[in-house]
């Protein structure tokens, strides 16, 4: 070798390049699943090899040695045990939520027993595996040469089944690892269908459908924080506990372990419990035995008479693997299996939908091509049958087949394919019945081709096919959850929720435009005469101002509704008490507001177990009625309370008691609409609502109230004027009306209605843009007709204006 042929390379660069190549080969070729079919290469090769050999769910079992040999010889040039171990795991109902292999023989056990050698065991594909491999013969997926170029193998499977979420997987690559949890098929199918129907659906809304992982061994998921993190970021840690039941028969009490956490070895668990009993950590146990059988798991701990079951349960959860954590890392291969990436729940669902769109597109193209080819042949046969006598004469008069072909092509302008079909046509086709069959087939083919064109042209049609496929999968394979999701307290150091230690007292909650919140004692304010300037309610920056203030107790739950129609909840006592002039804390410290969300209403609730309703009203006059109890339990991350259009915003939420009340909607230009509450039908949380008010030009709703005929409406304008008017002065106009005059505004000073309240015997708290707060007895504002201009409620500084009002009970 000459010096010109030698290339100098830095050792560092060569090591880096070689290591990256090796790492990517492990990532792509062994350890990380493809997001499209949820399979690693070895699992994909096993399923494809078995399907190719017709070892399907409706055929006989075959020796696993034969399966392993087929996979090794054609597709997977690695060790035989790597193939067999993968095959065994796909057949274990305690490893996979939906096993892809139907086993026969000893495939191991949850006790940790190893499977028998592959020369003794047998297997075939399970029925659900057919949903992974179906349509592979219709040019739906790409193939690549196998390791010795003797045959080819698919890069991924068509995968009608969303296997990536259903069965989960674990894998360790170079510098990265994946750990995906199994899920319930019914929930996954419903979530994908919901995503197809609403592409803007949020992860929180998906979590209302997919409650969490569903492990094949059952158990209990004991918190939801890990689920939230896993579904939002792709990483999370989930607490999974076993299930312990207390059984009492006569004077005998026993603890029965019926389910254990996912991937826990039952024998090892029993041994750890026995050691705790031997060491005296667990006392008062008379006997420990395993009564598990084919009907289910049953680990029995017989207790003595003086035993305390709750304490023993706590020790079992704290000191054994009856409580474990499952770490989720949703690392998968994307971009046609070339790039590893961590995905959140919605991204995984979107990847599945995109994959199925491609599969359906390619399948339709294949079927359309086959239909067009067949139609071409059928049309040629029909041409010949319509003039069969002449066709026969041409064939009889030709000296050979080649001459007959040429004469037929020229005479009837046929293609080579059509001519060949005519010459190959058996004489039985000359009957009238056979001719009619060809005519019917021609019509059917034309219809099919039109259907295929529609599928290829319209994405929505392909999405509907995916949706229908998922509905069929759900009907065929759907089942109930095995893993329960609930908060349990028996094993964890409970974080004391200090509600019993907090004194229940009345407090004021103040909220500002710049999203600051605080609570202060009601005693900070004393009643003043109407027209005073009031005390400063909090330190306000120049660009900030008060937007809401209300009175509640420290034990209340505050439902916080946003302009985008979402609702969050916090306990009032979790808002730290502050001095009157303090600025407050950012609301983001208490609830995880999304981008662009503004607070539109805060409702203090002390009891959710009622038949009360919430009335929600938007800026554009859309209104709806929803049961309060639907908001009693939801994640701290919030849920959807009302579906809101892009140009609209939720501005009012009110509680509707069991009494008959009217809806009162007020607008900023001084108009009001009053109609009977019965005009609203009960709707769910995620619905949009109906039109409550027909707005005039440049007008918008500022608030809505629930009123009765003998009540008084307090109206306040931004220039500090207010009036009280009896509800009976506002005639009922019915829903979706333009309404009547509520107050006469000073148009010269661009006055607008800023707020309305029901004026009971109480004091009024008025907040301004510059941070002033005054407490005024409502009785000091005189009652007038609805068309009056009102009286001055607060004397404003120059360029100041009213932005919010609140109410509080009068001091006795």
């Amino acid at each position: 070798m000459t010096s010109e042929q030698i290339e100098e390379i830095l050792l560092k660069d060569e090591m880096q390049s070689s290591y990256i190549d090796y790492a990517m080969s492990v990532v792509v070729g062994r350890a990380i699943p493809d997001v499209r079919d949820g399979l690693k290469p070895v699992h994909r090769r096993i399923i494809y090899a078995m399907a190719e050999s017709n070892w399907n769910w409706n055929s006989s079992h075959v020796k696993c040695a034969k399966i392993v040999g087929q996979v090794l010889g054609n597709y997977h040039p690695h060790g035989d045990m790597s193939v067999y171990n993968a095959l065994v795991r796909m057949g274990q109902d305690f490893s996979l939520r939906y096993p892809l292999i139907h086993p026969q023989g000893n495939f191991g056990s949850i006790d940790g027993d190893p499977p028998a050698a592959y020369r003794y065991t047998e297997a075939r594909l399970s029925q659900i595996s057919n949903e992974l491999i179906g349509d592979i013969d219709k040019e739906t997926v790409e193939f690549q040469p196998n390791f010795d170029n003797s045959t080819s193998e698919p890069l991924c499977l068509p995968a009608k089944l969303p296997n990536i979420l259903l069965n989960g997987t674990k894998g360790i690559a170079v510098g990265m690892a994946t750990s995906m949890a199994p899920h319930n098929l019914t929930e996954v199918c419903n979530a994908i269908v919901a995503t197809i129907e609403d592409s803007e659906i949020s992860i929180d809304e998906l979590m209302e459908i997919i409650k969490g992982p569903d492990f094949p061994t059952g158990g209990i998921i004991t918190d939801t924080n890990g689920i939230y993190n896993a579904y939002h970021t792709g990483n999370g840690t989930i607490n999974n506990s076993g299930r312990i039941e207390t059984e009492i028969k006569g004077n005998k009490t026993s603890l029965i372990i019926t389910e254990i956490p996912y991937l826990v070895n039952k024998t090892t668990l029993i041994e750890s419990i026995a050691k705790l009993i031997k060491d005296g950590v667990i006392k008062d146990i008379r006997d420990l035995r395993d009564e598990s059988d084919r009907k289910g798991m049953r680990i029995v701990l017989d207790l003595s008479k003086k035993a305390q079951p709750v304490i023993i349960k706590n020790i079992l959860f704290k000191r054994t693997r009856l409580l474990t954590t499952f770490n989720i890392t949703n690392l998968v291969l994307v971009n046609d299996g070339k790039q590893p990436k961590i995905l959140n729940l919605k991204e995984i669902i979107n990847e599945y939908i995109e994959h199925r769109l491609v599969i359906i597109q390619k399948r339709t193209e294949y079927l359309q091509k086959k239909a067009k080819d067949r139609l071409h042949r059928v049309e040629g046969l029909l041409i010949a049958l319509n003039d069969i006598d002449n066709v026969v004469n041409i064939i009889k008069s030709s000296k050979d087949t080649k001459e007959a072909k040429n004469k037929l092509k020229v005479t009837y302008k046929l293609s080579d394919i059509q001519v060949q079909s005519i010459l190959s046509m058996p004489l039985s086709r000359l009957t009238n019945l056979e001719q009619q069959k060809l005519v019917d087939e021609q019509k059917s083919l034309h219809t099919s081709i039109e259907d295929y064109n529609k599928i290829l042209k319209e994405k929505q049609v392909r999405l509907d096919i995916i949706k229908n496929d998922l509905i069929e999968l759900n009907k065929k394979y759907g089942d109930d959850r095995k893993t329960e999701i609930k908060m349990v307290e028996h094993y964890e150091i409970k974080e004391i929720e200090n509600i019993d230690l907090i004194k229940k007292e009345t407090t004021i909650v103040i909220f500002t435009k710049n999203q600051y919140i605080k609570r202060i004692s009601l005693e900070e304010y004393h009643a003043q005469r109407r027209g005073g300037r009031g005390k400063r309610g909090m330190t306000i920056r120049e660009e900030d101002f008060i937007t809401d203030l209300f009175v509640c107790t420290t034990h209340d739950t505050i439902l916080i509704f946003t302009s985008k129609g979402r609702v969050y909840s916090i306990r009032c006592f979790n808002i730290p008490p502050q001095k009157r002039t303090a600025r407050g804390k950012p609301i983001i410290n208490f609830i995880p507001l999304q981008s662009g969300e503004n607070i539109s209403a805060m409702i203090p609730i002390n009891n959710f177990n009622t038949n009360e309703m919430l009335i929600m009203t938007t800026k554009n006059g859309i209104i709806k009625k929803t049961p309060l109890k639907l908001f009693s339990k939801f994640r701290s991350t919030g849920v959807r309370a009302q579906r809101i259009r892009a140009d609209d915003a939720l501005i009012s939420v009110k509680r509707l008691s069991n009494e008959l009340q009217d809806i009162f909607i007020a607008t900023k230009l001084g108009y009001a609409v009053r109609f009977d509450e019965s005009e609203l039908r009960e709707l769910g949380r995620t619905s949009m609502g109906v039109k409550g008010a027909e707005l005039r030009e440049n007008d918008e709703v500022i608030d809505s109230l629930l009123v009765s005929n003998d009540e008084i409406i307090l109206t306040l304008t931004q220039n500090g004027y207010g009036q009280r008017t009896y509800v009976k002065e506002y005639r009922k106009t019915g829903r979706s009306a333009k309404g009547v005059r509520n107050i006469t505004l000073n148009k010269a000073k661009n006055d607008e209605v800023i707020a309305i309240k029901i004026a009971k015997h109480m004091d009024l708290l008025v907040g301004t843009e510059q941070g002033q707060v005054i407490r005024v007895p409502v009785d000091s504002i005189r009652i007038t007709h609805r068309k009056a201009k009102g009286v001055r409620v607060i004397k404003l500084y120059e360029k100041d204006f009213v932005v919010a009002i609140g109410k509080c009970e009068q001091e006795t």
Side-chain angles (χ1 to χ4, degrees):
M1 183 179 291
T2 64
S3 59
E4 288 80 5
Q5 294 175 305
I6 298 175
E7 181 182 357
E8 292 187 3
I9 300 176
L10 290 175
L11 179 61
K12 179 187 71 171
D13 295 340
E14 177 61 25
M15 289 292 292
Q16 183 181 31
S17 175
S18 299
Y19 186 79
I20 290 175
D21 291 343
Y22 164 71
M24 287 305 299
S25 70
V26 173
V27 169
V28 175
R30 293 194 191 183
I32 308 300
D34 193 308
V35 71
R36 294 171 291 181
D37 58 13
L39 299 171
K40 300 177 188 177
V42 64
H43 302 115
R44 185 181 303 114
R45 288 163 176 167
I46 291 171
I47 292 174
Y48 178 67
M50 294 180 72
E52 190 180 35
S53 301
N54 292 320
W55 298 329
N56 296 312
W57 64 275
N58 52 0
S59 64
S60 300
H61 293 83
V62 296
K63 285 287 185 181
C64 288
K66 191 173 185 179
I67 299 172
V68 171
Q70 182 85 341
V71 175
L72 285 178
N74 290 330
Y75 307 113
H76 199 69
H78 301 287
D80 58 343
M81 291 313 297
S82 67
V83 176
Y84 185 51
N85 289 337
L87 175 68
V88 165
R89 187 178 183 276
M90 287 196 291
Q92 293 174 335
D93 58 4
F94 54 87
S95 293
L96 265 65
R97 182 63 176 81
Y98 300 93
L100 303 175
I101 297 295
H102 189 274
Q104 186 164 280
N106 178 11
F107 265 57
S109 72
I110 198 170
D111 292 299
D113 300 321
Y118 54 57
R119 62 182 178 275
Y120 300 120
T121 56
E122 297 179 342
R124 66 185 179 192
L125 289 176
S126 64
Q127 186 174 1
I128 203 169
S129 291
N130 189 58
E131 312 299 344
L132 285 172
I133 204 75
D135 294 332
I136 199 169
D137 57 342
K138 295 182 175 63
E139 300 179 359
T140 52
V141 295
E142 294 183 23
F143 280 71
Q144 65 180 0
N146 69 338
F147 61 89
D148 62 357
N149 289 323
S150 60
T151 184
S152 60
E153 61 177 318
L155 290 172
C156 72
L157 300 183
K160 182 194 299 183
L161 188 76
N163 184 59
I164 189 67
L165 284 171
L166 296 185
N167 279 322
T169 188
K170 279 181 173 286
I172 300 175
V174 178
M176 60 184 69
T178 186
S179 177
M180 302 187 69
H183 291 83
N184 181 266
L185 184 143
T186 297
E187 293 180 356
V188 169
C189 289
N190 290 340
I192 299 174
V193 169
T195 305
I196 292 172
E197 293 175 346
D198 179 10
S199 61
E200 299 299 321
I201 190 170
S202 68
I203 296 177
D204 290 327
E205 289 168 315
L206 288 173
M207 289 178 67
E208 295 176 20
I209 304 172
I210 300 181
K211 307 299 182 183
D214 190 20
F215 299 114
T217 54
I220 303 169
I221 294 176
T222 57
D223 70 82
T224 56
N225 289 334
I227 298 175
Y228 175 84
N229 292 333
Y231 288 171
H232 279 76
T233 68
N235 288 287
T237 300
I238 294 174
N239 290 333
N240 183 209
S241 78
R243 187 182 299 276
I244 305 178
E245 299 173 355
T246 303
E247 182 179 271
I248 301 175
K249 290 184 178 180
N251 296 326
K252 182 181 176 182
T253 301
S254 302
L255 294 179
I256 313 297
I257 301 173
T258 57
E259 295 174 3
I260 63 177
Y262 185 47
L263 302 179
V264 169
N265 184 306
K266 177 160 68 73
T267 299
T268 304
L269 175 65
I270 294 174
E271 290 173 352
S272 66
I273 295 174
K275 186 176 186 302
L276 291 175
I277 296 172
K278 181 181 178 181
D279 294 343
V281 178
I282 302 179
K283 300 178 181 180
D284 302 321
I285 303 294
R286 295 172 51 239
D287 190 20
L288 168 65
R289 60 187 181 276
D290 185 6
E291 297 181 355
S292 304
D293 55 21
R294 292 184 177 181
K295 295 180 181 179
M297 185 176 297
R298 183 179 169 88
I299 303 172
V300 182
L301 290 85
D302 290 333
L303 308 182
S304 66
K305 291 183 178 179
K306 62 179 182 178
Q308 300 184 48
V310 174
I311 294 176
I312 294 174
K313 286 182 182 180
N314 284 341
I315 296 173
L316 289 173
F317 282 116
K318 288 180 181 179
R319 302 294 295 271
T320 73
R321 295 203 69 204
L322 264 178
L323 174 65
T324 63
T325 58
F326 186 90
N327 297 315
I328 293 180
T329 302
N330 292 332
L331 178 68
V332 293
L333 296 176
V334 298
N335 294 338
D336 297 331
K338 298 174 184 176
Q339 177 190 355
K341 186 178 181 181
I342 294 177
L343 304 182
N344 62 37
L345 177 61
K346 187 173 181 182
E347 289 171 336
I348 293 174
I349 290 175
N350 285 335
E351 289 285 349
Y352 167 82
I353 294 173
E354 289 301 319
H355 172 58
R356 288 301 298 167
L357 284 172
V358 172
I359 296 298
I360 292 170
Q361 177 90 11
K362 291 183 177 180
R363 181 183 68 188
T364 306
E365 290 172 352
Y366 172 84
L367 293 174
Q368 186 186 57
K369 181 177 180 298
K370 297 283 285 186
K372 287 182 176 179
D373 290 345
R374 178 58 186 165
L375 179 62
H376 185 61
R377 293 174 184 271
V378 169
E379 288 174 341
L381 292 174
L382 287 173
I383 290 172
L385 289 173
N386 289 333
D387 194 15
I388 190 62
D389 293 335
N390 190 42
V391 169
V392 171
N393 289 332
I394 290 174
I395 295 174
K396 288 173 63 179
S397 63
S398 300
K399 63 180 180 180
D400 55 23
T401 303
K402 183 177 181 181
E403 183 179 342
K405 285 183 177 180
N406 291 332
K407 286 183 178 179
L408 289 172
K409 284 176 65 176
V410 172
T411 303
Y412 296 104
K413 297 180 181 180
L414 301 174
S415 67
D416 289 336
I417 294 174
Q418 290 174 318
V419 171
Q420 186 59 47
S421 297
I422 293 170
L423 294 175
S424 302
M425 180 176 61
L427 293 176
S428 60
R429 283 291 182 93
L430 300 180
T431 65
N432 288 332
L433 179 61
E434 288 297 323
Q435 291 185 46
Q436 186 58 44
K437 285 183 179 179
L438 286 173
V439 171
D440 293 341
E441 184 180 4
Q442 183 187 37
K443 292 180 180 178
S444 176
L445 288 169
H446 275 297
T447 302
S448 296
I449 291 171
E450 290 177 3
D451 291 340
Y452 295 146
N453 282 331
K454 188 175 182 180
I455 294 171
L456 294 173
K457 289 180 180 178
E458 299 181 24
K459 181 179 178 181
Q460 186 57 48
V461 177
R462 299 196 295 278
L463 289 172
D464 290 340
I465 293 174
I466 297 174
K467 185 167 68 172
N468 293 332
D469 286 344
L470 291 165
I471 292 172
E472 287 300 316
L473 282 175
N474 194 2
K475 289 181 181 178
K476 196 171 184 180
Y477 305 105
D479 57 2
D480 295 331
R481 286 188 64 88
K482 292 187 176 183
T483 302
E484 184 180 357
I485 300 176
K486 69 176 183 179
M487 296 297 294
V488 297
E489 304 172 355
H490 44 58
Y491 58 85
E492 56 188 4
I493 300 175
K494 185 182 176 184
E495 183 180 349
I496 298 177
E497 209 175 33
N498 294 320
I499 187 166
D500 295 325
L501 305 177
I502 298 292
K503 180 181 178 182
K504 186 175 182 180
E505 59 183 359
T506 305
T507 186
I508 299 174
V509 176
I510 298 179
F511 186 69
T512 76
K513 173 192 172 185
N514 287 351
Q515 314 281 310
Y516 282 83
I517 191 171
K518 65 177 287 189
R519 71 177 176 93
I520 54 179
S521 171
L522 189 62
E523 297 177 356
E524 293 278 356
Y525 296 102
H526 300 287
Q528 300 178 27
R529 292 185 177 277
R530 175 173 59 84
R533 292 194 183 274
K535 293 183 179 180
R536 180 169 292 275
M538 61 192 299
T539 300
I540 300 292
R541 292 189 174 181
E542 184 177 349
E543 72 280 2
D544 201 5
F545 57 85
I546 296 171
T547 59
D548 196 9
L549 48 81
F550 57 89
V551 176
C552 63
T553 73
T554 50
H555 286 197
D556 287 352
T557 296
I558 301 175
L559 294 181
I560 303 177
F561 295 83
T562 74
S563 56
K564 289 188 175 182
R566 296 188 63 79
V567 57
Y568 304 85
S569 72
I570 58 173
R571 280 287 179 86
C572 180
F573 64 76
N574 285 330
I575 304 172
Q578 294 182 300
K579 295 294 184 181
R580 176 169 51 82
T581 56
R583 184 184 179 193
K585 299 287 185 181
I587 191 69
I588 199 69
N589 289 355
F590 305 99
I591 58 173
L593 283 176
Q594 297 180 357
S595 176
E597 277 190 311
N598 296 313
I599 305 299
S600 56
M602 294 187 180
I603 306 292
I605 306 292
N606 56 23
N607 181 18
F608 286 94
N609 297 321
T610 69
N611 293 323
E612 290 183 308
M613 299 282 176
L614 291 182
I615 303 295
M616 304 177 201
T617 312
T618 74
K619 178 181 69 174
N620 291 345
I622 303 298
I623 189 168
K624 80 165 190 172
K625 178 170 65 175
T626 303
L628 173 63
K629 59 187 176 183
L630 295 183
F631 301 90
S632 62
K633 294 181 180 179
F634 56 85
R635 303 174 186 87
S636 59
T637 53
V639 295
R640 178 175 287 179
Q642 182 176 8
R643 191 177 295 274
I644 302 294
R645 296 183 187 275
D647 62 341
D648 203 358
L650 179 65
I651 53 94
S652 173
V653 183
K654 296 294 186 295
R655 292 175 65 177
L656 174 65
S657 66
N658 297 326
E659 300 176 1
L660 294 177
Q661 292 180 288
D662 293 338
I663 309 293
F664 186 92
I665 299 176
T667 73
K668 71 176 183 180
L669 295 185
Y671 292 92
V673 177
R674 178 189 172 199
F675 59 90
D676 196 282
E677 166 267 323
S678 61
E679 292 192 41
L680 298 178
R681 63 183 177 89
E682 184 178 317
L683 298 173
R685 280 194 302 101
T686 58
S687 60
M688 181 174 291
V690 296
K691 182 174 287 189
E694 183 71 33
L695 299 178
R696 294 168 172 79
E697 187 177 359
N698 298 323
D699 202 0
E700 63 184 47
V701 174
I702 55 98
D703 204 350
S704 64
L705 298 174
L706 303 171
V707 299
S708 56
N709 207 44
D710 58 347
E711 288 181 315
I712 300 173
I713 298 291
L714 167 69
T715 303
L716 188 71
T717 74
Q718 68 177 8
N719 287 348
Y721 287 86
Q723 71 178 31
R724 291 190 298 153
T725 306
Y726 282 105
V727 170
K728 59 187 177 184
E729 288 210 18
Y730 300 87
R731 62 179 175 84
K732 288 188 179 182
T733 58
R735 183 173 65 81
S736 191
K738 286 191 173 183
V740 298
R741 174 68 67 181
N742 177 25
I743 188 172
T744 300
L745 300 173
N746 188 338
K747 295 182 179 180
K749 294 186 178 181
N750 297 319
D751 202 5
E752 294 177 353
V753 175
I754 191 65
I756 57 171
K757 295 285 183 185
I758 296 177
K760 298 181 179 179
H761 294 290
M762 63 184 70
D763 288 346
L764 183 67
L765 296 172
V766 181
T768 75
E769 192 232 17
Q770 295 182 11
Q772 299 299 121
V773 176
I774 185 173
R775 180 170 175 171
V776 179
V778 170
D779 294 343
S780 65
I781 303 173
R782 72 170 182 263
I783 296 176
T784 65
H785 295 294
R786 58 181 176 83
K787 294 184 179 181
K789 294 182 179 180
V791 297
R792 184 179 293 277
V793 176
I794 182 173
K795 185 177 181 180
L796 300 174
Y797 289 106
E798 186 178 357
K799 297 183 179 180
D800 196 8
F801 55 88
V802 176
V803 295
I805 65 173
K807 55 187 179 181
C808 57
E809 300 300 325
Q810 289 183 325
E811 296 176 346
T812 59

